[in-house]
Amino acid sequence: MAKLKIYTFPDAVLAKKAIPIERVGKDYFKLADNMLETMYDAPGIGLAANQVGILERIIVVDTEYEVTDPEDLKPGDPVPAGEVVNGQIISGKNPLILINPEIVFREGKSSMKEACLSVPDYTAEVQRSEIIKVRYQNIDGLTKTLDAEGLLAVCLQHEMDHLEGTLFIDRLSQLKKEFAKKKLIKARKLEEGS
Ligand code: ZN
């Protein structure tokens, strides 16, 4: 496995639409593995191929794992079983890999504070569908459906937006969006200048 570079706003690749994957071959096992490693390492709960510079319709999500810093454990606390990444223990993993995902049913509205590995140091409340049904292909190329609500529904909609070239900040009101983009571009310039 290998960690991939995460592209950040305003990189052009994040605003491009990803193309459907016609045949799910072996190459995608490796890509999915690398995307998962990159996501856990960040850490994040979802990653779309656009974010690692690949314009193909594949996303990975895991809204269930927990990160524990061993230094935060008190004497006598049980040590969670899991793997150690960057000195942190990652437990309760439930990775999902979705190829060519599409929403075939949606119901209700909910809003949640969102963040994105491609939009560092920025969070905002975004309104999305409350309940969704997603049709996708798994890593073996089989068509599956997944019913989601709560955090998983939000995460899936966020990642599927990436495949369309849409960031969560694009879903804010015009004023908030302009403000966010200016702030992010300024922060990025400062970072590159340092
Ligand atoms: Zn994102």
Side-chain angles (χ1 to χ4, degrees):
M1 294 210 283
K3 227 180 85 181
L4 306 167
K5 178 193 168 181
I6 298 176
Y7 289 77
T8 55
F9 176 81
D11 262 303
V13 72
L14 297 168
K16 287 183 181 151
K17 201 172 160 157
I19 57 159
I21 293 171
E22 287 189 9
R23 194 184 296 166
V24 183
K26 258 196 213 152
D27 291 352
Y28 294 100
F29 277 96
K30 201 173 151 201
L31 174 61
D33 249 12
N34 289 342
M35 284 173 67
L36 282 166
E37 188 189 351
T38 306
M39 180 188 81
Y40 288 122
D41 180 79
I45 58 170
L47 195 68
N50 302 48
Q51 294 179 273
V52 291
I54 294 166
L55 289 169
E56 296 192 78
R57 300 184 85 82
I58 176 168
I59 61 172
V60 296
V61 302
D62 188 344
T63 54
E64 294 180 26
Y65 77 99
E66 278 182 53
V67 180
T68 309
D69 188 335
E71 287 185 9
D72 292 341
L73 291 171
K74 293 180 194 78
D77 277 354
V79 178
E83 50 178 295
V84 178
V85 178
N86 287 340
Q88 312 279 302
I89 305 166
I90 299 188
S91 55
K93 275 187 183 179
N94 183 21
L96 293 170
I97 300 161
L98 294 89
I99 292 166
N100 301 323
E102 50 178 328
I103 296 175
V104 292
F105 173 82
R106 55 170 86 233
E107 193 177 49
K109 291 262 173 279
S110 76
S111 49
M112 219 181 255
K113 204 172 224 185
E114 296 187 21
C116 178
L117 296 175
S118 294
V119 185
D121 305 321
Y122 193 83
T123 59
E125 199 136 312
V126 182
Q127 197 181 65
R128 300 194 183 270
S129 300
E130 188 180 14
I131 296 170
I132 56 168
K133 186 190 275 287
V134 177
R135 188 195 294 139
Y136 67 99
Q137 283 165 278
N138 69 7
I139 199 71
D140 297 314
L142 302 171
T143 300
K144 301 271 179 187
T145 57
L146 174 66
D147 293 298
E149 59 181 307
L151 181 60
L152 179 59
V154 168
C155 183
L156 288 167
Q157 290 173 82
H158 176 120
E159 299 314 326
M160 287 167 69
D161 262 3
H162 275 300
L163 301 180
E164 299 302 319
T166 302
L167 296 173
F168 79 104
I169 49 174
D170 291 315
R171 292 202 173 268
L172 304 177
S173 69
Q174 194 62 31
L175 199 67
K176 273 191 186 164
K177 182 164 77 180
E178 293 307 320
F179 182 73
K181 289 192 171 179
K182 268 189 199 142
K183 192 178 153 186
L184 289 160
I185 288 170
K186 204 173 152 190
R188 172 110 185 233
K189 276 188 185 147
L190 278 174
E191 197 178 293
E192 280 169 359
S194 65

